[in-house]
Amino acid sequence: MSSIEVIGGEQLKGELKIQGSKNAALPIIAATILNKGITVLRNCPKIRDVFYMVKILEELGCRATWDGNVLLVDSSTLNSTTVPEESVRKMRSSILYLGALLGRCHEVTIAYPGGCSIGKRPIDYHLNALKKMNVVEEFHGKEDTIIHCHTNCIMGNDIFLEKPSVGATQNIILAAVLSQGVTRIFNAAREPEVTELCTYLIKAGAKICGKGTSFIEVEGVKELNDVDFTLSSDRIVAGTYMAAVAATTGDAVLLGAPVHQLDSTIRVLRKVGCNIDTIGNNIRISCRRRPLPIELLRTQPYPGFPTDMQSQLMTILSIADGKSTIIEEIFESRFQNVYELRKMGAMISVDSTTNKAVISGVKQLKGAVVKAHDLRSGAALVIAGLTAEGVTIVREASSIERGYEDICRDLETLGGNLRYCSENVLVS
Ligand code: UD1
């Protein structure tokens, strides 16, 4: 288990290229099994979640090779429909193999992914939708945690999602592309990562209408073809680094950022006082003053403000010039950083019944030993360390590697003073 040591006080400056998108890569890696052939995925981020997802491909019998950030998958050799339980436990997104394996093989055995640190994260929408598509579901194992699904033929149907779930929308699309008939998804998620999965599948020969809207229609086709596809860059990584520049009153340019996917993040960062200009795919952000507070920030499904940026904004608001309120609308346990930021001197109170955090900005945070509870809150603590006085140690930082190729390398490029170190390091 590694830690990150951050020495605060440097204003971030310079230029940085943004890595490929994690949340676009994961469903597309699952989708590579549908074409029974070759997929070339370019701009694929080399992060832990992608490595786990690729490992599952190999466990299913597919071949995967890397050349820099290009991932080549040959799914013609697939010979198993069982996703190993250990792999599912490591990574929630492995549930995307549910729709993909059903689509290709009409059968799948996969463990129930269970909850995680940010909330319960059920999969009832996924399972209810598949049932409507003529899939039979059986539960085995201790406490019925192994799901075995099979069908003689996936049949298109109308699916109404109670909430616009990203994973459920993706799983339904994955199951539907090789089905019989038409599947219509009402209240589909509009996240760019759903759109990107559709774009990939359309390139492979799928018939999908309505990508990027809340009504998606998939007409089943007989087969898909080989694909060469370039993933877009990661909107949350770009947003995280913008937040780091804002918190350190820096001035930097992010190169190759998915500008059009960052509207709500840019809007919020402008509200806290940042100047942001976009030129093509590049974003220049500068912040010359202590952040302004935000009266009310709510996380919402896309195109609203993303839950995956909430922790990073909480860090900024903890040093804002006044009182802010955040309401987390998507996940029920996503305020774990409050306890950590308090160790650094932040003044935050939480009402867990309404999922509301009230933040009274302090002038400056102080370095402390803190713990990364999950990927995004870990990144938010690194930002807190950059702005704090003194040394911050972010423990259990390996969860950050799930989504950032090398957060230390990237922030060092912008002049940040931070490094990976052993978990046993002590602050003197
Ligand atoms: C995806 C993203 C994650 C992001 C989240 C919300 C990936 C790999 N992960 O997660 O980074 O934080 O979208 O933008 O892309 N729900 C149910 N039943 C279900 C499914 C979802 O009640 O069967 C609820 C969830 O508890 C949550 C909401 O729907 O309250 C949204 O969850 P969902 O969009 O499914 O999140 P993920 O796809 O898991």
Side-chain angles (χ1 to χ4, degrees):
M1 207 53 101
S2 66
S3 297
I4 294 178
E5 180 191 45
V6 191
I7 299 167
E10 303 297 334
Q11 292 178 306
L12 298 189
K13 291 195 171 119
E15 288 186 355
L16 179 66
K17 175 142 176 21
I18 301 301
Q19 69 181 59
S21 163
K22 163 174 106 59
N23 286 357
L26 302 178
I28 292 176
I29 290 171
T32 61
I33 66 177
L34 289 169
N35 70 356
K36 302 182 185 169
I38 307 287
T39 300
V40 179
L41 271 188
R42 299 179 193 275
N43 198 30
C44 197
K46 286 189 139 168
I47 51 175
R48 197 166 285 194
D49 274 11
V50 163
F51 296 145
Y52 284 146
M53 210 66 180
V54 171
K55 183 163 171 273
I56 297 175
L57 272 184
E58 290 168 339
E59 287 165 343
L60 296 172
C62 304
R63 293 201 190 105
T65 47
W66 286 94
D67 178 8
N69 282 92
V70 181
L71 175 67
L72 190 135
V73 178
D74 178 357
S75 70
S76 63
T77 50
L78 183 128
N79 57 19
S80 167
T81 56
T82 300
V83 183
E85 191 172 348
E86 205 195 315
S87 303
V88 181
R89 302 262 173 258
K90 278 202 181 108
M91 201 202 163
R92 230 195 101 81
S93 292
S94 53
I95 198 64
L96 293 162
Y97 282 108
L98 178 65
L101 278 166
L102 273 169
R104 166 133 175 206
C105 309
H106 290 176
E107 188 180 10
V108 56
T109 304
I110 191 166
Y112 207 95
C116 72
S117 66
I118 63 171
K120 292 199 284 285
R121 305 188 81 178
I123 55 162
D124 52 330
Y125 302 167
H126 308 231
L127 294 175
N128 291 340
L130 292 170
K131 230 188 267 173
K132 286 190 78 181
M133 297 166 79
N134 195 35
V135 172
V136 179
E137 293 160 3
E138 293 158 6
F139 297 86
H140 304 282
K142 211 173 144 208
E143 294 174 8
D144 282 349
T145 49
I146 305 294
I147 312 165
H148 176 63
C149 293
H150 56 95
T151 178
N152 51 3
C153 172
I154 298 180
M155 307 286 285
N157 205 338
D158 284 354
I159 311 289
F160 299 85
L161 291 176
E162 197 178 309
K163 288 187 209 162
S165 156
V166 175
T169 305
Q170 290 170 334
N171 248 335
I172 297 164
I173 293 168
L174 289 166
V177 286
L178 295 174
S179 69
Q180 263 191 23
V182 175
T183 299
R184 301 193 300 168
I185 311 171
F186 297 84
N187 199 23
R190 289 183 285 164
E191 265 68 2
E193 297 78 21
V194 174
T195 306
E196 195 143 332
L197 173 65
C198 294
T199 307
Y200 165 85
L201 288 166
I202 291 167
K203 201 169 182 200
K207 284 194 180 162
I208 303 174
C209 295
K211 63 174 186 171
T213 75
S214 51
F215 173 68
I216 295 179
E217 199 171 43
V218 185
E219 186 184 340
V221 295
K222 284 231 151 48
E223 56 183 18
L224 299 181
N225 46 256
D226 291 352
V227 204
D228 189 323
F229 189 79
T230 303
L231 289 160
S232 57
S233 48
D234 196 303
R235 65 189 171 108
I236 304 299
V237 170
T240 302
Y241 293 157
M242 286 166 81
V245 175
T248 61
T249 55
D251 182 348
V253 177
L254 303 183
L255 305 169
V259 172
H260 55 287
Q261 301 176 6
L262 280 160
D263 279 359
S264 59
T265 300
I266 289 175
R267 219 175 306 129
V268 168
L269 287 172
R270 280 188 177 135
K271 267 196 197 164
V272 303
C274 298
N275 295 312
I276 300 173
D277 294 311
T278 60
I279 312 134
N281 288 335
N282 303 329
I283 298 177
R284 172 158 183 206
I285 171 164
S286 63
C287 202
R288 290 186 208 293
R289 46 159 298 154
R290 184 177 172 191
L292 299 167
I294 294 186
E295 202 179 313
L296 178 61
L297 177 64
R298 277 177 195 275
T299 61
Q300 281 172 332
Y302 191 83
F305 184 75
T307 174
D308 286 355
M309 279 299 299
Q310 183 258 105
S311 311
Q312 298 87 317
L313 257 292
M314 182 178 277
T315 295
I316 294 179
L317 297 177
S318 69
I319 50 165
D321 193 2
K323 196 192 251 184
S324 308
T325 299
I326 298 180
I327 298 184
E328 170 57 58
E329 299 267 14
I330 311 291
F331 294 114
E332 61 274 19
S333 320
R334 217 169 187 181
F335 284 144
Q336 301 103 319
N337 254 16
V338 169
Y339 175 70
E340 307 302 326
L341 288 171
R342 277 186 196 145
K343 287 187 205 162
M344 301 179 74
M347 285 174 55
I348 308 172
S349 63
V350 172
D351 177 353
S352 46
T353 48
T354 51
N355 250 343
K356 188 203 274 187
V358 177
I359 305 140
S360 302
V362 295
K363 263 211 163 119
Q364 193 171 25
L365 297 174
K366 296 186 300 286
V369 179
V370 290
K371 177 181 151 188
H373 291 265
D374 68 61
L375 162 63
R376 304 304 171 189
S377 61
L381 291 174
V382 171
I383 299 173
L386 288 170
T387 130
E389 187 189 349
V391 181
T392 296
I393 304 289
V394 182
R395 285 193 183 275
E396 299 186 22
S398 49
S399 60
I400 300 173
E401 291 161 25
R402 286 187 39 221
Y404 297 82
E405 282 192 335
D406 191 337
I407 198 168
C408 292
R409 173 201 67 196
D410 287 349
L411 293 171
E412 257 190 310
T413 303
L414 295 179
N417 194 348
L418 70 171
R419 64 201 51 81
Y420 288 102
C421 57
S422 138
E423 189 78 325
N424 302 324
V425 80
L426 291 172
V427 190
S428 53

